[in-house]
Amino acid sequence: MSKAQNNEAVTHRLLKKNRSSAKRNERTGKIIVFTSAAIIIAATIAITLFLGYKGLKTFFVFDIDIWNFLTSTTWDGTSESGAFSFIFGSFAVTFLAALFAAPIGIGSAIFMTEIAKKWGQKVLQPVIEILVGIPSVVYGLIGVTVIVPLIRNHIGGLGFSLLAGMIVVGVMILPTITSISADAIKAIPIDIKDAAYGLGATRWQTIYKVIIPAALPSLMTAIVFGMARAFGEALAIQMVIGNVKGLPDSITDQAATLTSIITLDMPHTTYGSVHNSLLWSLGLILLVMSYVFIIIIRVVSSRRKI
Amino acid sequence: MNRRITNKLATIVFVLCAAIMSITLVYLLGYILTSGLSYVDMDFLTSNSSSFQEGGGIKNQLWNSFYILVVTMIFSVPLGVLGGIYLAEYAKPGKLTNVIRTSVEVLSSLPSIVVGMFGLLVFVQYAGLGYSIIAGALALTVFNLPIIVRVTEDSLRAIPVKQKNASLALGITHWHTVKTVLVPAAFPGILTGVLLSAGRVFGEAAALLFTAGLSTRNLDFGTWDPFDSTSPLNPFRSAETLSVHIWKVNSQGIMPDLDAIANGSAAVLIIFVLIFNVTARVIGNMIFNKITGSK
Amino acid sequence: MDMVENNMKTKPLDKSKEINSVPLLQLDELSVYYGENHAVKNVSMPIEENKVTAFIGPSGCGKSTLLRTINRMNDQISIARYEGNIEYEGLNLLEKNIDVVALRKEIGMVFQEPNPFPKPIKENITHALKFMGMKKKDMEEVVENSLKQAAIWDEVKDRLKSSALSLSGGQQQRLCIARALALKPRVLLLDEPTSALDPISSAKVEDLIIELKKHYTIVIVTHNMEQAARISDNTAFMYNGDLVEFGNTSQLFTNPKEKRTEDYISGKFS
């Protein structure tokens, strides 16, 4: 095209005009949508930065030794305090809950998808989805009124214990694990299963040799999701665990977790005090752990074959 | 022979797992509803709570729960829907898209107590909102946002491409297509997601302890001036919600009938959560039938 | 989308292929890439005004891609990239400064699968008119005219308010044609418009296309060679991204110059 033609073409109806309503319309849309996306990113960064800042203050402003903080079991609100009992409590509750919820949850998912498909779809699936939505205070309340007395009367101790926390949280994450596992098993292509049955495998052999290996990364993801939820759960645990600041001697002993101590102590500390700062450091541990869980989930699910 | 026995045994184990789960969960629901509902009557729903004496109700807490829910939705639905539109329609594969996807993932996996701490620091203290409905709703927005983003993105992606092409080929801008073709088509899916998330927001307590506060004034339901301190509409007053009330009564209550109040409140809470869930499910099924019914 | 700037240089347009009039659109050395995949390779051909031009060829030969390039619907695909020229009124339609929104009004498109909006019949027509800012009272006339032009008015005039999804497939497709006509386009691009329809509905759409070419320039992609022979004036046979042969339809079908064209139309491969 020659230059003359170019100039002539500037007025053509099919060329973009700076002030066309279409262009303005597109620009408005982009601005609105990008702003929203930016706000979401900003919120995430803000949370990370604020918690990081407040949580690290303990070590850089109040000069508390990080090693001492992570390993000491004394918790008196002074600079000698350490969070080890709570870190231990959080991990103990998380692993024990997963130990109890994972087999039952995955077993139920297999029941729903491979053994009683109709019943699973029509009855169990909706029930599980509703249970995922039950508020955690309700689980906590049931823990206090049912599980704690049960432990006190039949096993011993006060009832408020690591065991009670583990049961309550285990029950809480059970529907989560079941629902994600069931989705994973349903996603296995039917011909893989048919091939196994076609070779004369029994149902158990098909489940054990074909279904579980094929769905394994997704099942792991389900368990990690459940553990992440357990680790971050606050009120349900706080209501039943007893909140004693020290390492428990046994599973029926009272204990405390990072979340339960934050819940209890936060309202009673003065802003800017060492004690308050220590609580922010506990919060920072929770934040770091939720990043860790995300990374684990990414690593595990990147190995997904289905 | 051996493998048939193993197979039988395995089946029994799976049935047992499902039975343990179902029985536990049905028992829990049944327990709360039966032990709680006997205490629930009009008087319980419509009277002020009491700190020491017997016979307190949950009128203000119930109102606060709904009010915070509505304010949370006003913040989180538009922002979440636009974020979902960004991911489904505007995001190009690349760093920025990864950053926002990771952000949504981080937000959705934050422990709610951490969201509460952030709310305490930023909304209650830095922004000077104090323990208030608005601070609570902002904290819950952080908590709810990722859910709305995901539902919106999924619903938009489920729309057949041919609908979008139809509009673009008529010389309609992308943004106008999003507004008039895609969002209306995704609306039922988004609505289902919003209702499901409403159930979660309604029951959330940990994020509210340090943001909306643990106390509530006895509200005067005759005063609708939002700046009056006893007005139910005042967004700057502290507001204990129903779920927070359950926690508080249980852990700090000294009234003689605290078990009954906690169980009654829990029953009411569960019923509302169930209503949100069931409505969402019914709408979801209606859409499913509509899609499969008309080809 | 990358635009090759050096094709601003004038190239002598090859208009020798048995075409007498000046074409409305002239494709010149047009290439389309999807990432590394060279989907349309150096295609040059004219598209004559008020004629039906058919693109034929086996699936995956690039005929639909070529069609979707003319109104820039391929812009939707982020990895799509163009080279060459589509000359139209002295403009290259592939340039960055082309307003694709305006372009798509002028070069309308109908898709393989009928895709009416899940809205009342009338709103299917007015959807775009509203966006253009047409006044309500002017719309009535446009709705009626375009439905009449698309030969569907008699079937729907009594139920303009019922859902477009209640129409049969063939009716839906004619509604989609009406929807495009309402914008008064000059060119209509039809992407296998009858492949999802039964024979009777297909015949109706074919009759409509023949009727429409009096007023519009039509480009149709079809995998049905009988259809191309019945309704088109010119035919382009594509294979593997290449334009193998272009010419007058009756000549191309009766006396193809290329061996591959002959093999294809005689059904040796598909």
Side-chain angles (χ1 to χ4, degrees), chain A residues 1-2 5-6 9 12-17 20-22 25-26, chain C residues 8 10 88-92 96-99 101-103 106 131:
Chain A
M1 238 182 281
S2 73
Q5 269 174 310
N6 245 342
H12 196 281
R13 64 186 184 286
L14 290 187
L15 287 178
K16 281 184 188 163
K17 288 152 208 80
S20 82
S21 64
N25 181 293
E26 290 289 34
Chain C
M8 297 293 285
T10 321
Y88 176 76
E89 296 191 0
L91 301 173
N92 177 6
K96 267 187 179 158
N97 60 358
I98 293 294
D99 179 356
V101 170
L103 174 69
E106 199 153 320
F131 176 65

Side-chain angles (χ1 to χ4, degrees), chain A residues 152-228:
Chain A
R152 182 166 50 221
N153 298 336
H154 295 278
I155 303 176
L158 282 170
F160 291 98
S161 56
L162 202 56
L163 180 65
M166 161 218 146
I167 294 174
V168 167
V169 175
V171 170
M172 261 183 76
I173 64 174
L174 192 50
T176 312
I177 294 180
T178 309
S179 143
I180 304 176
S181 304
D183 288 344
I185 296 170
K186 271 188 251 165
I188 299 173
I190 196 116
D191 42 323
I192 294 186
K193 297 177 204 169
D194 284 351
Y197 285 120
L199 291 170
T202 61
R203 184 158 63 202
W204 164 243
Q205 286 169 327
T206 309
I207 290 169
Y208 178 67
K209 293 249 170 69
V210 178
I211 293 173
I212 292 182
L216 195 62
S218 306
L219 297 180
M220 298 288 283
T221 308
I223 297 172
V224 179
F225 259 114
M227 288 171 70

Side-chain angles (χ1 to χ4, degrees), chain B residues 238-254:
Chain B
S238 75
E240 180 197 28
T241 65
L242 194 54
S243 348
V244 173
H245 189 57
I246 296 172
W247 179 78
K248 195 177 102 176
V249 167
N250 195 280
S251 50
Q252 306 171 2
I254 44 170

Side-chain angles (χ1 to χ4, degrees), chain A residues 25-26 29 33 36-37 44 108 111 129-131 141-142 178 200 203-205 235 238 271 280 287 294 298, chain B residues 3 7 10-11 17-18 21 25 28 82 86 102-103 105 109-110 117 125 173-175 205 247 250 274 281:
Chain A
N25 181 293
E26 290 289 34
V33 167
S36 311
T44 315
S108 306
F111 174 81
E129 278 168 32
I130 284 170
L131 287 164
L141 182 64
I142 294 169
T178 309
R203 184 158 63 202
W204 164 243
Q205 286 169 327
L235 302 192
Q238 184 271 334
Y271 187 71
W280 283 98
L287 180 76
I294 289 176
R298 288 210 172 165
Chain B
R3 50 182 227 137
N7 191 39
T11 307
C17 284
M21 190 188 68
L25 298 172
L28 297 181
L82 288 167
Y86 172 82
T102 310
S103 296
E105 207 178 338
S109 63
L110 283 180
M117 292 171 83
Q125 290 173 349
T173 55
H174 187 194
W175 177 238
W247 179 78
N250 195 280
L274 285 180
R281 188 163 290 282

